[in-house]
Amino acid sequence: MYEQVQGSEQFQELKRRFRAWTFPMTAAFLGWYLLYVVLSGWARDFMGVKLLGNINVALVLGVLQFVSTFGIAWAYSRHAQKKLDPLADQLRDEVEAREQ
């Protein structure tokens, strides 16, 4: 039963939609995080530049790491709601109908 679902075109489309969004976003976020780490280790003068009072570039980029994490979570939620959930619901309904 589950092998049939996994082999179905709808399931393959669901996997494609999931991967088409998550793989590039994961790579982009890891690149952004790595940039922060590299700058922190090898561009200390740049990271120490004061922007406003005691707020420097490192602090701003560090806070932006958290902001981008929440932004990605929000964007994924919207993506899943629009592109993944309807197809997953349809697949689930078909599987439940077959089991009865």
Side-chain angles (χ1 to χ4, degrees), residues 65-85:
Q65 290 286 315
F66 288 99
V67 171
S68 64
T69 299
F70 288 110
I72 290 168
W74 173 80
Y76 176 76
S77 175
R78 288 185 47 100
H79 170 74
Q81 203 172 36
K82 289 180 180 180
K83 303 283 185 177
L84 303 178
D85 291 349

Side-chain angles (χ1 to χ4, degrees), residues 14-51:
L14 181 62
K15 284 185 4 181
R16 186 197 64 73
R17 289 180 188 183
F18 174 78
R19 290 176 178 163
W21 197 91
T22 54
F23 287 177
M25 190 59 66
T26 300
F29 181 78
L30 288 175
W32 157 237
Y33 177 73
L34 182 61
L35 175 66
Y36 179 76
V37 171
V38 168
L39 289 175
S40 294
W42 286 281
R44 292 180 175 264
D45 292 338
F46 170 71
M47 295 295 269
V49 171
K50 292 193 180 215
L51 301 175

